[in-house]
Structure formats: structure tokens, C-alpha cells
Amino acid sequence: MDIETNKTVYSKEIEELLEKEKKARLANDHTACADILPEIVQISFDAKEYKQLNDLIRTLAKKRGQPKKAQINMVQRCMTFIDKIDNIFAKLELVNTLKEATEKKIFLEVEYARCALILAKNKENDEKYIDEAAKILQDVQVETYGSMDKREKLEFILYQMKIMIKLKDRVRLQIISRKINKKNINDKSLADLKAQYYSYLVYYYTHENKFFENAQAYKAIYDTLKDNEEF
């Protein structure tokens, strides 16, 4: 089958599915919509029609009356595409599109945070763009996300702290550090994150000449490492 024939078949499949999606949505058939949306994006991804994939995500996410479950299924399917795209520009465009599609939607808050993190990490290692990385993260309040597990939430906040250290912004570093309740990081499964958290506090206390607090942070690191020999 030649390229033109492939594109014709692809276009026809998408057209038929979009018609089905419209009928299901207008009929309030949430189950059908939840099945059709991930199928649409899957076909686009398989065909490597990345531009149309992004356009479809934006369009389908904004459709009036689009069921939440359908949007969740579509976005979660698209999240699996990210690591499968080799072209960095196509990958970041997809992440940007998903971030836009999930913004201000509580039922997709975890996916929104993950997209923001991917975009921030892409800019982290270039000093020219480190401010942009901080801006991407500053509006993501993962500490309020009930649907995100504790480890992922802590990793996100620690990454925010790391960016503030790179920016040498100790005021915001301290503000972000307060998002972590020290009592909630004593779980042995979080020992690595606990040590990382206190190492960031050492940086802050050292530059603020807070000697007592600095000593306490060092002790917390020592105790954590002592109790977890696998480190």
C-alpha cells in the first residue's frame, strides 16, 4: 500500500470515528465516547500524524458536553505516546498540547503536573531558560492534589526546590520547602527523598547563617543514612 493510499485510509478512519464521537456525545452516550476518543488518538499516533494528533486533542478536549471519562481516557492514552516519540520537537509539542488540554481540570490534575514537569526538565539544564522552567512549575500546586501518590508529590516539590537553588532564589526556596510536612517524610520508603529534602535545607540554612537549623538538617541526613544502609 503506497503512502497516498495509507493517508486516504487514515483520513477515512478518522472521519468515521469523529462522526461516531459526535453522535455519541450528542446522545450523552458517555461509555461510547470514552471508547472512541482514545481510539481516535491511537490511530493518529500509529500513523505518525503528530500535527493532526495535537489538533484532535485540542478539539476533542474542548467539545461542549465532552464526558470527563472520555477526556481522561484520551489524555491517559496520549501520555503513553510521549516516550515513544523519538523526535524531541514532536514530543515536546505533544506535551505542550496535553498540558493545555488538562489545564484547570481537576480530574486531570496529575497529568497536568506530569506534563509541566517534563517541560520544565527540558529547560532546566540551559541557564537561558531556567527562569522559564520555574514559571512552568510555579502554578502547579501538587500539595493540594488528592489523586497524586505521596512519593510523586514529594518528588515534584523537591524538583521545585532544586530549580529555586539553581536560580539562587532562597526566598521562594523556603516558601516551597514549607509545602513538605516533616512528619510525613519519616516513612522508610521515602528515606531517599527525606535525605534529599534536608540536603536542600542545608543549602538554605548555610546561606542564611542559620547554624542551629543547619546542624539539625545535617543530623537528619546522618540519621536517615545510618538507618538506611542501602544508600
Side-chain angles (χ1 to χ4, degrees):
M1 193 178 290
D2 60 35
I3 294 173
E4 288 303 317
T5 304
N6 277 334
K7 285 192 173 182
T8 301
V9 172
Y10 162 75
S11 297
K12 188 176 180 181
E13 285 180 322
I14 292 296
E15 190 177 325
E16 289 174 353
L17 283 169
L18 287 174
E19 186 60 32
K20 286 182 181 179
E21 180 274 333
K22 182 178 180 181
K23 289 179 180 178
R25 178 166 42 83
L26 294 177
N28 289 319
D29 188 342
H30 293 193
T31 300
C33 286
D35 290 336
I36 294 169
L37 263 65
E39 187 177 353
I40 291 172
V41 294
Q42 185 70 57
I43 289 172
S44 294
F45 173 74
D46 290 342
K48 296 187 177 180
E49 293 286 346
Y50 299 139
K51 184 181 183 303
Q52 186 167 20
L53 171 62
N54 291 319
D55 291 341
L56 286 166
I57 293 168
R58 292 189 186 98
T59 301
L60 292 168
K62 291 178 181 177
K63 289 285 186 182
R64 186 175 181 180
Q66 194 67 264
K68 290 181 181 179
K69 182 61 177 172
Q71 294 183 60
I72 291 169
N73 286 1
M74 177 182 73
V75 169
Q76 289 183 345
R77 178 69 63 86
C78 290
M79 293 295 290
T80 69
F81 301 158
I82 295 171
D83 290 334
K84 297 174 183 176
I85 299 176
D86 295 327
N87 184 292
I88 186 64
F89 300 106
K91 179 182 292 191
L92 293 176
E93 182 59 31
L94 174 59
V95 176
N96 263 310
T97 300
L98 290 170
K99 182 173 176 286
E100 290 172 15
T102 56
E103 190 171 10
K104 296 180 180 178
K105 294 179 179 178
I106 295 174
F107 55 94
L108 286 167
E109 61 187 7
V110 173
E111 288 76 14
Y112 174 75
R114 287 171 181 165
C115 288
L117 190 61
I118 291 169
L119 294 173
K121 284 185 174 181
N122 181 63
K123 296 179 181 295
E124 175 196 348
N125 295 321
D126 191 329
E127 289 185 6
K128 293 185 294 184
Y129 299 113
I130 192 72
D131 282 326
E132 289 184 31
K135 286 176 184 176
I136 290 170
L137 296 174
Q138 69 183 6
D139 294 327
V140 186
Q141 308 295 328
V142 294
E143 65 276 11
T144 66
Y145 290 6
S147 53
M148 183 179 278
D149 71 54
K150 187 186 287 188
R151 169 167 277 276
E152 186 174 7
K153 196 179 294 187
L154 284 170
E155 287 174 340
F156 193 99
I157 296 171
L158 287 170
Y159 185 77
Q160 289 178 313
M161 291 177 68
K162 178 184 176 182
I163 293 296
M164 291 306 108
I165 290 172
K166 286 197 168 191
L167 285 171
K168 299 180 181 178
D169 188 338
R170 296 195 294 277
V171 173
R172 282 197 286 171
L173 172 61
Q174 185 192 31
I175 292 170
I176 294 170
S177 73
R178 289 173 178 169
K179 294 179 180 182
I180 295 178
N181 185 331
K182 294 176 182 178
K183 293 180 181 178
N184 291 337
I185 56 175
N186 289 327
D187 190 314
K188 194 166 184 177
S189 66
L190 301 173
D192 57 324
L193 302 184
K194 180 179 179 180
Q196 186 178 349
Y197 171 67
Y198 279 104
S199 71
Y200 290 163
L201 289 185
V202 164
Y203 167 87
Y204 174 75
Y205 293 140
T206 298
H207 286 82
E208 294 295 317
N209 294 321
K210 296 192 174 185
F211 305 113
F212 178 71
E213 291 87 346
N214 206 5
Q216 287 184 313
Y218 270 119
K219 185 178 186 303
I221 294 171
Y222 171 78
D223 289 342
T224 302
L225 296 177
K226 184 184 67 174
D227 295 338
N228 296 273
E229 295 179 358
E230 65 273 18
F231 280 5

